[in-house]
Amino acid sequence: MATAVAPNQDFVTRIPLPPQRLDALSRDILALKKKLNAIILAHNYQVPEIQDVADFVGDSLGLSQQAAKTSADVIVFCGVHFMAETAKILNPNKVVILPDKDAGCSLEESCPAPKLKQLQDTNPNFYTVTYINCSAEVKALSDVICTSGNAVKIVNASPKDKDLLFVPDENLGAWVMEQTGRKMTLWKGSCYAHVEFTHESIMRIRREYPDAPVVAHPECTRAVRLLADEICSTEKMVEFCKKSPAQTIIIATESGMIHRLNKECPGKRFIPAPVANCRCNECKFMKMNTLEKLHACMEDLNPRIELPKSILDRARLPIERMLQISSQPLANAG
Ligand code: 13P
Ligand code: SF4
């Protein structure tokens, strides 16, 4: 249903947009897109009406790949701030705008660049593998970036003679260690939304739907991952659900994902995994973007991402390294 968001609340209250307003805004956005020669990129967690006007909807990896190859003059990034920054780093000469500049991320907050530098200085042999959910300043201190969709491949391709430092998500890092057998020093950050899923909340929904497989994001805690049939990025969730013979599937990630799955897998039933006191789970940052704010940012070409040249130059290298490793066939990736 069409929505507008009251921002900066822990639990977001959405007020439905009247259908005529929804249609008018969507039409205007498409006209502005043409006029500006813009591309609209949206993360899988965005509200349905934003996903429905986007040129591309996907996970962090897919969105970076789209940003790297677009010939549009303006990139309209519907996601959180670090995602729009990544698009700017890859396109320093393009205009990159986002609906709400305050759409942050708890993982980004957990890892300030000066603190990371302090830790890096304790071991000259560290090779820093950084989850894309971080600031441009932290990217500029990194050797290589990864997303949940390619973290295993990136770690497998990392130099064997280095001590790996994985920042900032300790849950994703712990899962990657299990998958690769590679020991890493983990930064103690987490996604405030994904750690809300608990062993008990997943057991509860499993009892309700005993035949439904559970698909979980690797940002979930180990207690939840142990109960999952599949652990993967949001884009790989779409692939898994398309291929799975199951008609009902439990999804342990941000509930925006359900709209994308319903569109891509018609006829199947997707159950958002519950958290302790709620039927589903939302990221308050992702939900700060609304169709109205999207329209306004395209009219004003603001808020706009601007970064110092030194950060742009230094942060581009580890992102390009990630994109290059990601594009290699598995056997050559190390
Ligand atoms: P994906 O890259 O899997 O879409 O995850 C992004 C994210 O922010 C998860 O919370
Ligand atoms: Fe960050 Fe978690 Fe929101 Fe993803 S879901 S943007 S990791 S706070």
Side-chain angles (χ1 to χ4, degrees):
M1 180 177 271
T3 53
V5 172
N8 300 325
Q9 295 175 2
D10 270 12
F11 296 97
V12 174
T13 316
R14 267 195 290 288
I15 306 143
L17 275 177
Q20 277 174 334
R21 175 93 178 117
L22 169 70
D23 287 350
L25 277 174
S26 305
R27 257 198 323 272
D28 274 10
I29 286 168
L30 296 179
L32 278 166
K33 197 176 70 149
K34 225 174 175 177
K35 186 175 126 194
L36 298 169
N37 187 27
I39 185 170
I40 303 179
L41 303 178
H43 189 265
N44 287 320
Y45 298 161
Q46 291 295 286
V47 290
E49 55 274 25
I50 290 185
Q51 293 193 28
D52 292 347
V53 292
D55 295 289
F56 178 84
V57 182
D59 67 355
S60 306
L61 178 60
L63 291 165
S64 320
Q65 287 164 335
Q66 290 294 321
K69 69 178 189 199
T70 184
S71 58
D73 295 321
V74 175
I75 299 175
V76 187
F77 210 113
C78 301
V80 290
H81 192 266
F82 76 79
M83 294 179 171
E85 270 189 349
T86 307
K88 181 69 182 179
I89 294 163
L90 289 166
N91 297 278
N93 298 323
K94 290 190 198 291
V95 172
V96 178
I97 52 175
L98 71 169
D100 192 319
K101 69 171 177 16
D102 295 326
C105 169
S106 63
L107 279 166
E108 176 181 355
E109 271 169 35
S110 78
C111 190
K115 278 202 165 170
L116 173 60
K117 181 79 178 67
Q118 244 176 28
L119 178 60
Q120 286 174 321
D121 287 346
T122 63
N123 181 354
N125 201 40
F126 267 149
Y127 183 86
T128 308
V129 181
T130 302
Y131 189 30
I132 199 162
N133 295 37
C134 66
S135 66
E137 289 75 13
V138 164
K139 287 185 177 77
L141 290 172
S142 304
D143 291 298
V144 67
I145 302 301
C146 71
T147 72
S148 59
N150 63 15
V152 168
K153 194 175 186 182
I154 299 291
V155 166
N156 276 330
S158 296
K160 302 282 181 269
D161 58 341
K162 289 285 191 176
D163 299 325
L164 298 192
L165 169 62
F166 190 93
V167 304
D169 188 352
E170 63 174 332
N171 289 305
L172 175 65
W175 177 71
V176 172
M177 281 210 283
E178 287 160 25
Q179 300 299 302
T180 60
R182 191 88 196 256
K183 201 178 166 315
M184 304 194 287
T185 300
L186 302 181
W187 189 269
K188 293 233 161 294
S190 60
C191 162
Y192 93 97
H194 281 86
V195 299
E196 288 285 310
F197 298 112
T198 62
H199 186 87
E200 292 68 33
S201 73
I202 302 299
M203 283 305 288
R204 187 160 24 101
I205 199 77
R206 279 214 103 135
R207 279 193 293 273
E208 229 178 290
Y209 300 94
D211 298 328
V214 173
V215 181
H217 197 275
E219 287 174 10
C220 294
T221 62
R222 183 157 190 272
V224 167
R225 294 198 309 271
L226 285 172
L227 296 174
D229 298 277
E230 180 71 11
I231 299 161
C232 57
S233 77
T234 58
E235 197 58 32
K236 289 186 181 168
M237 286 182 185
V238 179
E239 284 168 41
F240 174 88
C241 293
K242 275 184 181 167
K243 284 193 194 136
S244 170
Q247 289 304 300
T248 304
I249 305 174
I250 298 165
I251 306 295
T253 193
E254 211 273 354
S255 55
M257 194 65 219
I258 303 295
H259 180 67
R260 174 87 198 280
L261 289 170
N262 280 335
K263 270 179 118 167
E264 302 259 357
C265 313
K268 294 198 177 182
R269 184 170 180 209
F270 298 103
I271 312 292
V275 292
N277 297 313
C278 200
R279 288 297 297 178
C280 65
N281 194 1
E282 288 194 339
C283 169
K284 65 182 172 184
F285 302 112
M286 286 280 181
K287 289 331 196 230
M288 287 168 83
N289 294 332
T290 65
L291 200 65
E292 283 162 321
K293 288 187 200 171
L294 167 58
H295 180 257
C297 86
M298 290 177 78
E299 269 199 329
D300 304 344
L301 286 182
N302 192 52
R304 214 184 263 218
I305 301 282
E306 303 288 1
L307 289 163
K309 187 174 174 330
S310 57
I311 295 289
L312 282 169
D313 290 347
R314 181 62 190 84
R316 193 173 317 122
L317 300 173
I319 301 175
E320 283 178 348
R321 187 169 286 149
M322 168 188 84
L323 293 173
Q324 194 260 326
I325 296 170
S326 261
S327 66
Q328 288 172 11
L330 262 180
N332 299 337

